[in-house]
Amino acid sequence: MKKFIVTLSALALSLSAQARDFSDVNITAQKAAGQVYMLQGSGGNIGVLATPKGLLMVDDQYAPLAEKIEAALKTLEDKPLKYIVNTHYHGDHTGSNSYFSHKAPIFAHHNVRNRLKSNEKLTEDALPVVTYDQGVTIHLDNEEVLLTHLPGGHTDSDTVVYFKNANVLHTGDLFFELGFPYVDTKGGGSVDGYLKNVEHMIANYPDDVVIIPGHGKLTDKAGLKAFAQMIRDSIKLVKGYLKEGKTEEQILAAGIQPQYKHLSWRFITEERWLKTLIAAYK
């Protein structure tokens, strides 16, 4: 039953993407550091290592954007795409897999392949072909790209990608710089696991690291620390309300702390974030 629910969720996201008009979406590029760039269009942020020996791409947004993404890659370095990494299984990060898999192998955690494979609308060429349990290191030109699986946070398939020499970290959706996070509990995520993984990133990467978040603008360790504090404060607030015996309706009426209200956004509103926390701790 759980697999069926996940499949329906993935299918709904896929159909939603197909119904959208992407004709007015432009793919923009911004340098992060060294030979690493961030591409933005519609969906999750794309990370790119662009070298004279070829390119590595982290995530690939939606299928209708594949050719626009490919054109943007060529403006960074007109060399072949060598490797693709999926940070997790959601369609706004894996939607162009079927297009790019004919150009380079896709690396991801085992659960990305398993969850994409459960979607009957996807073909074999949408699936990662190199999978791992804990992680793997990819060497390209003079860069070491460290892929590390962090379990049970945003989903059960999350990978963070660290470009060691450039000192750039792509967090996937373990960091929503633009607002409240999405915790996909049906996809193996959990609130406690999410916070634990954010704290892992804070503790295990340099203080001067440049961060490409899953969604939002380029940022730094200070931004990640502020994000972690917001999650801690939100958990403490909701746990306190529940201990007092407040109902969901009362908690929603009271709302989040004033300093965090601006983090409500289109997909994860203040109400949805609070409901996620209530479901986690009631």
Side-chain angles (χ1 to χ4, degrees), residues 211-222:
I211 297 177
I212 300 174
H215 296 264
K217 65 181 183 296
L218 277 177
T219 186
D220 54 19
K221 181 73 77 71

Side-chain angles (χ1 to χ4, degrees), residues 218-237:
L218 277 177
T219 186
D220 54 19
K221 181 73 77 71
L224 187 60
K225 287 180 176 179
F227 182 68
Q229 190 59 50
M230 177 274 295
I231 297 174
R232 292 188 203 102
D233 289 345
S234 299
I235 292 171
K236 182 178 180 180
L237 178 75

